[in-house]
Amino acid sequence: MPQVLRSPGLGRGGVYTLLGIAFSFGLSVLTRWLYHYDDVIDGDSVTRIAMLAAPLFFLVGLGAFSYWFYWASGKPTLPEDHSAHGAKSWKDYFRINTDHKVIGIQYTVHSFVFLFIGGLMAMLMRAELAAPGRQFVDANTFNGLFSVHASLLIFLFIIPVFAGLANFVIPLMIGAPDMAFPRLNALSFWMLPCAGVLMLASFFAPGGSFASGWTAYAPLSTSAPLGQDMFTIGVQFAGASSIATALNFLVTIITMRAPGMSFFRMPLLVWANFSTSLLVVIATPFIAASQFFVLLDRALHFRFFDASLGGDVLMYQHVFWFYSHPAVYIMMLPGFGIVSEVLAARARKPIFGYRMMAFSLLAIVALGFTVWAHHMFVSGMQTWIRVPMMVTTAIIAVPTGIKIFSWLATLWRGVIHLDTPMLFALGFLTMFTLGGISGVILAMIPIDIHVSDTYFIVAHIHYVLFGGSLFTIFAGVYYWFPKMTGRMYDEKLGRAHFWMTFIFFNLTFAPMHLIGVQGMPRRVADYSEQFAGWNLMISISSWVLGLATLIFLYNMVASWRGGPRASSNPWRSLTIEWQVSSPPPVFNFDSLPTVVGGPYEYGVPGAVHAVFKDSETPAVVATAGATPAGGGDH
Amino acid sequence: MERGKRTVTEMAVVGVIASAIGIAAALLINWFPASASKQAGPIDQLWDVLLIVSVPVFVLVTVIVLYSVKLFRVRPGQELMDGPPVHGNTRLEVIWTTIPALIIASLVVYAYLVLHDIEKAPAAANAEMHVKVTGRQFTWYFEYEDTKVAGKPIRSAQLYVPEGKSVKFDVVSEDVLHDFWVPNWRMKIDAVPGITTHYRVTPDKVGSYPVVCAELCGLGHAFMRQTANVLPQAEFDAWLTKQQQAAQKAATS
């Protein structure tokens, strides 16, 4: 056997995947033979087991478990010589790597691949919806497209891309040499491609891809063809990845802060990811449970959701939303953190009301668990629960409002640098406000009864997740691009990307509010003639919106390869990640920083956030009012 | 300071004008399909109130963002300067916590009153008609539980209801989730396997309206459409009698 198939890596991962499939085949045949089935070979049964087993075999082959296997079997563990740290060539991104900066980039790039795939699916759907009647795809493919689109963008883009950015930035920000559990960190990342490949592969399953929406409501999901299992099991891998990463963040943030970094000296991005991680560890097991219920119903004929045999259909929705509502905050709070960083640094002012910003995050975490049934106002659940859920839902507008107003107050009287990260942050402020407003409107039960399951919901979710989350993701990627790559992106292209995205985002999603209220249900491959005009306009806008992402792609690729070298601190930020070189040294710090003040003391004469023992002068001195700072600008 | 005050006044004026224009535009948009039930009135009115409250909130945020950019965008020579180190202002923070809370509280109370209003049962129980709605992939059928022939309710593939009478729908499903929605009536509820769900409307306009399935139910979801026909009471009675006779004929033959 050639070396490449014997040593840990993608090659051996492939071989082990085949072994996993063989194992699944054997297990299935053996079990069916023992139970006296007539046909001992059953494709569905083998495939289902393989969906669970093959990814695990792949991870073993890849080497994700090597260290623990050595340790558990009593063999001498590989001495940690740190040879696996850092990335010297692009190939180093395609193997197990325990360096949080490499993992951060793996996560981010991997997530963007799925943004492009999911985005293409959206454009295909818009092609189908450009006119009433059938255009390009049949109803089953269409249902598959919106189901996979949503699942990929939620589980393989928004949630992991935030984890990726945080992976890169947070250890640097809190002055830690790495994450608390580097090997777990690597494992968390490598579970994601397993989930992604499963979900994409569902298009090749007999009967088509899973087509019951990302919500996978039973009993539609429990009676769907094989492709459904690829969602059910894919979510398990994505969810396990999320939980492991969240635990990693919690332990890292709680135990590995630099000396002097008290909780109230942490940058708000760290607070945001701390809050998000709390949400993830509490909520994500619920979606895992809901999907295991479905899997057991499908594979082993349990009767959780079969009403004719005593099952309870509504229970699925309760368990599902107990995760999936907090998931909305999992997909938004890290963005709040990014916006706080960008606004403070690019408006050159301390975050207004820092403590309230931190507390409002925690308030959202707590309240986020009390509102799940607002997704179920028309589900037929007991009616009395609706009013308390309406009240808690509406109350979330208060801590969210505190955040919006505090950001506005941060802008006021600042020195505003209107570059790409700032443009996206401001775009977020306005667009997320709209998403928040439609959220309050949706909380009002009588309105929700009419508009739930319509395009109004589609509009709302995209204002929150695109105008909200994705805008903050773009802001964050542009902002930390120089730190991650050591290169500067092209500012002109960045601005063009912003304006094109901002304009066509609105042209695409704003009209959906209207057609929703007028009566167009969501998740339909066809619609009545009266909505034709708006839908054509939406489709055309959505394609231009898709094209805008190509500007971003070109900018990122070209700048990473040949952009001008970035200085260590192009934004003159005070937070610690900017006080080290771009890209940072392999172990982050040559000497550990000591935190001596708040993270956003812009305008305070001589203020610094952290000092390094060896350096005599801190890298950046913030200065007040009219006196120019001592340098550091590129 | 004087200049600052003038700017704030200017922003307030711009904000009020923009809000007025925004509210007027939002109210002029023909949002809803034609109203055809007693329930639609209060719901549409709640919608208008929500628009009137929402527009100024969005205008407030946008005006502050735009003015901040206009007034405080970095000028030549300021590239290395910082803004004033303002860390917060308790009074402001109390204000922007309290006012949204009060607005939210009043909206919630108002929405509750509307909900109570639209779900209220008619005073006399016999003033209400019962229709059982069954969803199955991919069609609806309707049974008139008050009119039975040989122990079985009258069954129809299209929905017929009289004008001006409260109708209580008992909604069930034979297979997966569906959702019984007539946009012109504004009300909807899921058809859930294993349980019976309900809502009531009082149709108040004669005409034919689409019955839409609003909950993803599989392949034919987009095409699961029927018609709700609202007839004057006399015509409805005639229709029902005809159905009754047809059912009797079928039962005896």
Side-chain angles (χ1 to χ4, degrees), chain A residues 139-140 143 317 348 353 356 378-379 386 405 413-414 416 437 449-450 452-453 518 523 572 601 603 623 625, chain B residues 30-31 33 54 72 74 79 81-84 87 93 96 119 177 181 186 188 190 192 214-215 218-219 221:
Chain A
N140 195 36
N143 290 359
Q317 297 175 33
R348 311 303 306 163
M356 280 304 273
V378 299
S379 70
R386 294 175 303 169
F405 294 128
R413 294 179 63 201
I416 296 175
I437 289 172
I449 291 175
H450 178 66
S452 71
D453 289 313
Q518 282 179 345
R523 295 175 166 176
R572 290 184 298 124
E601 299 298 309
T623 45
Chain B
N30 198 5
W31 290 94
S54 301
F72 308 117
V74 58
E79 286 86 355
M81 280 196 212
D82 285 348
H87 285 88
E93 287 171 55
W96 68 45
E119 293 190 334
L177 292 169
W181 182 35
R186 310 284 187 269
K188 76 158 70 80
D190 278 6
V192 184
E215 184 68 65
L219 263 184
H221 169 57

Side-chain angles (χ1 to χ4, degrees), chain A residues 180-308:
Chain A
F181 305 119
R183 280 180 287 269
L184 184 66
N185 203 13
L187 175 63
S188 306
F189 167 69
W190 282 100
M191 281 194 272
L192 285 175
C194 302
V197 168
L198 267 177
M199 288 186 186
L200 277 179
S202 71
F203 278 104
F204 303 103
S209 68
F210 55 97
S212 49
W214 80 278
T215 49
Y217 274 10
L220 188 62
S221 56
T222 54
S223 55
L226 189 67
Q228 185 67 43
D229 290 307
M230 303 193 177
F231 172 79
T232 307
I233 295 171
V235 165
Q236 302 298 355
F237 284 101
S241 159
S242 227
I243 295 171
T245 302
L247 285 171
N248 218 339
F249 280 134
L250 285 177
V251 176
T252 308
I253 293 167
I254 292 170
T255 65
M256 293 178 67
R257 281 167 289 128
M261 178 70 93
S262 63
F263 259 69
F264 285 108
R265 279 178 182 170
M266 293 194 313
L268 284 167
L269 181 80
V270 182
W271 267 107
N273 278 281
F274 180 75
S275 314
T276 308
S277 300
L278 283 176
L279 279 169
V280 170
V281 293
I282 302 170
T284 309
F286 282 82
I287 193 171
S290 72
Q291 297 314 311
F292 273 129
F293 287 148
V294 171
L295 183 65
L296 291 169
D297 261 22
R298 294 172 55 79
L300 303 173
H301 304 287
F302 279 45
R303 289 150 189 177
F304 290 119
F305 306 123
D306 186 344
S308 64

Side-chain angles (χ1 to χ4, degrees), chain A residues 544-566:
Chain A
V544 185
L545 181 61
L547 287 179
T549 356
L550 293 182
I551 305 178
F552 169 75
L553 180 67
Y554 171 78
N555 195 358
M556 292 294 107
V557 174
S559 305
W560 199 342
R561 288 167 60 97
R565 297 263 171 213

Side-chain angles (χ1 to χ4, degrees), chain B residues 96-155:
Chain B
W96 68 45
T97 309
T98 321
I99 293 180
L102 291 176
I103 296 176
I104 289 291
S106 23
L107 287 178
V108 163
V109 171
Y110 177 31
Y112 171 75
L113 294 175
V114 171
L115 181 70
H116 185 74
D117 192 20
I118 62 178
E119 293 190 334
K120 206 165 43 189
N126 61 357
E128 189 163 69
M129 199 180 120
H130 288 257
V131 178
K132 185 178 173 191
V133 180
T134 307
R136 70 166 180 224
Q137 290 171 320
F138 299 96
T139 185
W140 299 102
Y141 62 85
F142 307 93
E143 289 168 298
Y144 293 79
E145 296 171 304
D146 306 327
T147 322
K148 288 187 177 162
V149 174
K152 275 191 186 159
I154 299 284
R155 183 171 154 166

